[in-house]
Amino acid sequence: MKKDIIIALDGHSACGKSTLAKALAKALKYVYIDSGAMYRAVTYYAMENGLIEEGKAFDAQRIIDNLSDINISFNYNTTTGKSDTYLNGKNVEEIIRTIEVSRNVSEVSKIKEVRQKLVEFQQQLGKNKGIVMDGRDIGTAVFPTAELKLWITADKEIRVARRYKELLEKGYKVSLEEVRENVERRDFEDSHRKESPLVKADDAIVLDNSYLSKQETLKKALDLAYGAMGK
Ligand code: DC
């Protein structure tokens, strides 16, 4: 008998977590939640409201003081067939993916109070199971008892090239070097922060997609998911 499960996907930046998570959710008719989008939305709010200023020292307290004014939600977009991220009622799905937001998001995601608020929201979204969530601490902090934990990985240069292509296709003017610098810095910051650093959960299954197509990666993940459902 098939049972609804929680699928947690973690890994470094730009390793294909969200592509796989979306495809898995679609195939299983599960809800997909992009937890990175939540950290990006808080970062975007801070930038837009002058809580983070270029050239000035990062002041976590200003963000903590404003946390109660930040409301994040996800709404289904009938045109794209995907769920979009909303910040205080405004669709921010595209704007939170810019390199400027990517540059600031690691600092914001180090803040304990930000993590507490977002983890609570993430756990609430998973309470009925039937969910695929990707991020950095999903299998360790958000859903430590998830039925399936995947640790997604790929060679760094392949990750950089994929993210570069993705940004160019969206029309952003970035250099390969800028993207590499950002990916390397986020990998380092995400793995070395004090609060919920990026680490592989002991019981996570490693899925290296460096030389796999999207379809091949999905097939492997689906087989694991059906196994975890007890089918
Ligand atoms: O998945 P992403 O690249 O969109 O995530 C953006 C940043 O958010 C990432 O560099 C670290 C942070 N993040 C986090 O700390 N914990 C998560 N569960 C998801 C993302």
Side-chain angles (χ1 to χ4, degrees):
M1 170 63 187
K2 170 181 165 307
K3 64 171 172 103
D4 277 347
I5 61 169
I6 293 181
I7 305 179
L9 278 79
D10 290 301
H12 291 103
S13 297
C15 65
K17 295 183 297 290
S18 67
T19 304
L20 174 61
K22 273 180 215 157
L24 262 178
K26 193 172 174 200
L28 297 170
K29 297 195 171 54
Y30 274 19
V31 173
Y32 163 59
I33 298 292
D34 173 358
S35 71
M38 298 185 192
Y39 291 92
R40 287 175 180 273
V42 173
T43 305
Y44 176 69
Y45 177 94
M47 291 165 72
E48 279 295 285
N49 290 278
L51 309 178
I52 297 177
E53 288 172 90
E54 197 72 39
K56 287 205 182 158
F58 184 80
D59 184 353
Q61 194 56 47
R62 293 186 72 194
I63 299 177
I64 297 168
D65 291 344
N66 282 270
L67 268 182
S68 59
D69 290 337
I70 302 178
N71 181 34
I72 297 166
S73 56
F74 294 97
N75 289 309
Y76 188 73
N77 180 328
T78 47
T79 313
T80 61
K82 290 178 187 156
S83 167
D84 287 344
T85 312
Y86 281 71
L87 170 68
N88 294 337
K90 180 180 162 207
N91 188 331
V92 292
E93 183 58 32
E94 283 299 317
I95 197 91
I96 59 171
R97 314 282 166 190
T98 60
I99 196 103
E100 289 78 15
V101 172
S102 298
R103 263 189 221 117
N104 289 305
V105 68
S106 285
E107 278 302 321
V108 172
S109 57
K110 280 182 195 167
I111 306 171
K112 189 169 100 198
E113 289 79 356
V114 170
R115 301 204 72 82
Q116 275 168 347
K117 175 178 167 116
L118 298 185
V119 168
E120 204 174 294
F121 181 34
Q122 290 153 11
Q123 289 172 336
Q124 220 185 341
L125 292 170
K127 70 180 188 312
N128 295 326
K129 302 209 176 194
I131 190 168
V132 184
M133 193 177 291
D134 74 327
R136 303 294 188 288
D137 60 342
I138 311 304
T140 50
V142 182
F143 299 123
T145 61
E147 289 83 355
L148 178 62
K149 299 180 188 177
L150 298 177
W151 175 260
I152 314 299
T153 183
D155 288 352
K156 194 193 78 194
E157 281 308 313
I158 293 177
R159 293 191 282 125
V160 170
R162 285 180 187 158
R163 180 52 54 91
Y164 176 61
K165 185 167 168 269
E166 189 183 293
L167 286 167
L168 287 191
E169 278 169 4
K170 283 185 179 165
Y172 294 118
K173 287 192 175 54
V174 283
S175 68
L176 186 67
E177 198 37 58
E178 251 181 309
V179 176
R180 182 180 295 112
E181 195 273 330
N182 181 259
V183 166
E184 283 174 353
R185 198 170 58 81
R186 285 201 292 137
D187 283 355
F188 182 86
E189 303 264 336
D190 295 346
S191 314
H192 290 83
R193 66 178 177 227
K194 203 167 115 236
E195 295 297 327
S196 305
L198 169 66
V199 280
K200 181 179 125 8
D202 290 339
D203 51 350
I205 298 167
V206 178
L207 195 46
D208 185 333
N209 63 31
S210 303
Y211 302 102
L212 294 179
S213 68
K214 287 178 189 171
Q215 276 312 315
E216 288 166 332
T217 312
L218 175 62
K219 162 98 178 51
K220 278 185 189 279
L222 271 178
D223 286 347
L224 293 166
Y226 290 131
M229 285 171 190
K231 267 186 103 177

